């Protein structure tokens, strides 16, 4: 809260250089900082929930240098604009997007950008979207009085670590990234990143649930007599708790792949326990044995002799949407994402489930394919593409294909990849639609090495042609959704826009056609793949025309940040 913003008796503001030497104070500090930004420098500025790294969004040299220093080669940056009029001149907005951008929450909103513009080509390279937001603190508003242009404003943190909240930590970790630091004397108690949202069918869909929206409270249909803590997934982690008739979702915590991020996870749990005077009677976690959340939950329940419950990842996705709408009874759910530990110990991610609040059954799934090199295949879509080609052609045929994915390997690499595929060496099976997007992006020649999560899906989406109705063929045999015919047709098409369009249309057909066989059931669309705005809007419009009842999460993120909500909802309804 900023109840006092007076420049005389409000917060003391100090500008430092990157040697931690004080340069100026208060309004002079803001003016000096603006001057440095206007001249192309990279600076850090303290916000509500942590520090931002900022620079002039119109200067190629500044934005490119920020990418080099932060080691963020391609992932798009968010841009903060002085006011709506300035923002509107750089973007194509719907009335709903305008409403979201101007709302009191002031989230980062993903919108269509106008090209060409004076924004640097390095802000969101080769992407037709832009994450935009408006000033949301008095400090931002005053700063913009002295800035010439919009600014890149990205979280100050090391890769996969929480946002930095103190000047000392900033200098300890990012002194080589920023030229100057603007600090003030109000301590940030709880780190909180910016929220990220997008507009879907003139409604909001929250991608990152944080500043302005979190903690999110969902009212339960009944009071419960136990206290439940759910610890979520390993990526895009959040926690959730339930007591009485309240289900509470924490702000976004992040990926739990470092010691610092795990410490932040534990601090968040401690903060929530203290704030809500809460000690859990039961802890709910994922079934994945190597998730840090699973290991923490097992240790904690063993030490404190409390009950542990483990829930399958994709079922938790389904339950998260059911929780948001207080649904009970059977649903037909499509849980499409990148990775989740399956009941058969393979990697799930293309699941069709019959589910209710107590149990589920796997009805169908994308036919398994191999991830050549396991984790490496997630970073290199060309490996997934090659695996699907080996599934459908002989080795001799693959090496002669006129396919961009094949051309990314030399002869000896192709032989090695074929051996890995043939002998199943470090090549786990998956049904993941997220990985299917990766493979198609490589076959289409769009993305072969992924520079940030979701790049393949995002770039396929912007190639989609709404005027093309054709779709690739598929078959369902004994519950396996076989896309072999589609892969072979892609090789013939050999045109990125055609491949992207027919592939997304095929996924929509799979959902609609399976739904038409179960017209008595409401449909749920969940999982990170449905953050693909084109797929979600296309499919929901078709279901709407058919008069079907369908749901997708809006206030609870569709991605793994919603897992903890689903975990809680299971325990709430467990007898």
């Amino acid at each position: 809260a900023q109840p006092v913003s007076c420049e005389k008796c409000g917060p003391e503001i100090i500008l430092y250089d990157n040697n931690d030497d004080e340069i100026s104070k208060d309004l002079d500090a803001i003016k000096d900082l603006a001057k440095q930004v206007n001249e192309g420098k990279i600076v850090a500025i303290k916000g509500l929930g942590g520090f931002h790294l900022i620079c002039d969004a119109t200067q190629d040299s500044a934005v490119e240098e920020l990418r080099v220093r932060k080691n963020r080669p391609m992932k798009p940056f968010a841009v903060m604009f002085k006011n709506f009029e300035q923002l509107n001149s750089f973007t194509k907005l719907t009335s709903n997007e305008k409403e979201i951008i101007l709302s009191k929450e002031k989230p980062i909103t993903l919108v269509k950008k106008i090209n060409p513009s004076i924004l640097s080509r390095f802000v969101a390279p080769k992407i037709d979207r832009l994450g935009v937001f408006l000033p949301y603190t008095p400090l931002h508003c005053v700063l913009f009085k002295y800035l010439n242009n919009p600014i890149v404003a990205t979280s100050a943190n090391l890769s996969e670590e929480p946002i930095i909240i103190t000047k000392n930590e900033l200098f300890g970790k990012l002194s080589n990234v920023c030229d100057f630091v603007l600090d003030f004397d109000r301590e940030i108690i709880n780190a909180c990143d910016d929220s990220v949202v997008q507009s879907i069918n003139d409604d909001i869909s929250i991608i990152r649930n944080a500043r302005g929206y979190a903690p999110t409270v969902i009212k339960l249909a009944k009071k419960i007599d136990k206290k439940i803590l759910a610890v979520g997934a390993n990526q895009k982690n959040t926690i959730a708790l339930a007591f009485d008739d309240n289900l509470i979702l924490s702000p976004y915590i992040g990926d739990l792949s470092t010691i610092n991020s795990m410490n932040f996870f534990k601090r968040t749990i401690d903060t929530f326990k203290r704030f809500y005077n809460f000690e859990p009677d039961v802890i709910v976690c994922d079934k994945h044995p190597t998730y840090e959340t699973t290991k923490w939950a097992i240790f904690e329940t063993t030490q404190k002799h409390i009950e542990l419950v483990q829930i399958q990842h994709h079922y938790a996705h389904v339950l998260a949407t059911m929780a948001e709408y207080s649904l009970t009874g059977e649903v037909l759910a499509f849980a499409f994402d990148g990775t989740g530990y399956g009941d058969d110990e393979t990697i799930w991610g293309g699941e069709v489930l019959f589910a209710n609040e107590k149990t589920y059954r796997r009805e169908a799934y994308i036919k398994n394919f191999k991830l050549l090199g396991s984790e490496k295949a997630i970073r290199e879509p060309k490996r997934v593409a090659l695996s699907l080609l080996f599934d459908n052609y002989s080795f001799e045929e693959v090496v002669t294909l006129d396919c961009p994915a094949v051309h990314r390997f030399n002869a000896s690499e192709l032989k090695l990849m074929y051996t890995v595929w043939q002998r199943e060496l470090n090549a786990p099976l998956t049904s993941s639609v997220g990985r299917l997007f990766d493979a198609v992006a490589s076959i289409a020649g769009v993305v072969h090495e992924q520079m940030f999560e979701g790049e393949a899906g995002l770039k396929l989406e912007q190639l989609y042609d709404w005027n093309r109705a054709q779709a690739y063929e598929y078959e369902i045999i004994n519950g396996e959704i076989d896309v072999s015919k589609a892969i072979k047709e892609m090789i013939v098409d050999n045109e990125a826009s055609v491949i992207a369009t027919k592939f997304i249309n095929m996924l929509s057909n799979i959902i609609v056609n399976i739904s038409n066989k179960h017209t008595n059931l409401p449909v749920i669309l969940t999982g990170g793949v449905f953050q693909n705005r084109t797929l979600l809007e296309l499919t929901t419009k078709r279901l709407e025309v058919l008069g079907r009842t369908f749901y997708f999460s809006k206030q609870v993120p569709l991605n793994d940040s919603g897992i903890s909500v689903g975990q809680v909802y299971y325990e709430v309804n467990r007898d």
Side-chain angles (χ1 to χ4, degrees), residues 198-402:
Q198 66 178 338
S199 175
I200 300 288
N201 292 337
D202 291 329
D203 208 335
I204 192 170
S205 176
I206 296 178
I207 296 170
R208 185 165 71 199
N209 192 53
R211 176 187 53 76
Y213 297 104
T216 301
V217 179
I218 297 171
K219 281 294 177 183
L220 299 171
K222 61 182 180 181
K223 283 196 173 186
I224 56 174
D225 58 4
K226 54 189 169 184
K227 294 181 177 180
I228 305 164
L229 169 64
V231 294
N234 229 54
Q235 284 76 43
K236 301 178 181 64
N237 178 262
T238 60
I239 63 164
L241 52 149
F243 56 89
D244 296 333
D245 60 348
N246 302 300
L247 192 166
I248 300 168
L249 172 65
S250 78
Y252 173 84
I253 294 171
D255 294 349
L256 304 182
S257 53
T258 66
I259 292 172
N260 281 334
S261 58
M262 270 307 293
N263 287 337
F264 182 39
F265 163 79
K266 294 171 189 174
R267 283 201 309 274
T268 303
I269 291 174
D270 289 340
T271 298
F272 270 66
K273 285 164 72 173
R274 186 173 64 252
F275 190 81
Y276 292 103
N277 191 25
F278 178 95
E279 279 296 333
D281 301 309
V282 57
I283 296 177
V284 192
C285 69
D286 198 273
K287 285 186 173 181
H288 200 301
T290 65
Y291 272 7
E292 295 302 325
T293 48
T294 304
K295 290 187 278 187
W296 181 89
I298 291 171
F299 177 81
E300 193 76 2
T301 53
T302 303
Q303 291 291 306
K304 296 186 176 178
H305 306 290
I306 58 179
E307 188 177 6
L308 173 70
V309 174
Q310 293 183 266
I311 303 299
Q312 200 280 325
H313 186 93
H314 299 93
Y315 180 40
H317 268 307
V318 178
L319 290 170
T321 303
M322 294 181 72
E324 181 171 328
Y325 297 97
S326 299
L327 300 179
T328 57
E330 192 167 40
V331 299
L332 174 66
F334 297 85
F336 291 175
D337 66 0
T339 301
Y341 188 76
D343 290 336
D344 58 1
E345 299 185 356
T346 64
I347 301 168
W348 286 12
E351 313 311 307
V352 184
L353 306 175
F354 288 128
N356 58 40
E357 67 276 20
K358 296 179 185 292
T359 188
Y360 69 98
R361 175 168 61 84
R362 195 186 194 197
E363 167 67 5
Y365 55 93
I366 298 294
K367 183 179 178 182
N368 283 336
F369 51 94
K370 298 167 189 169
L371 295 178
L372 306 182
S374 191
E375 290 289 320
K376 201 167 185 181
I378 297 172
R379 298 188 298 273
E380 298 182 13
K382 62 185 181 182
R383 289 170 173 261
V384 191
L386 202 58
S387 176
L388 283 162
L389 293 175
F390 287 149
D391 283 344
N392 291 286
Y393 297 94
S394 68
F395 176 75
E396 290 73 23
E397 288 172 326
V398 168
V399 297
T400 61
L401 289 175
D402 181 18

Side-chain angles (χ1 to χ4, degrees), residues 116-137:
S117 80
I118 63 167
L119 287 182
S120 167
R121 60 195 171 95
F122 296 109
V123 168
K126 299 181 181 178
I127 300 292
D128 64 351
R129 305 279 170 82
L130 193 62
V132 302
F133 61 143
L134 294 175
Y136 56 83
T137 71

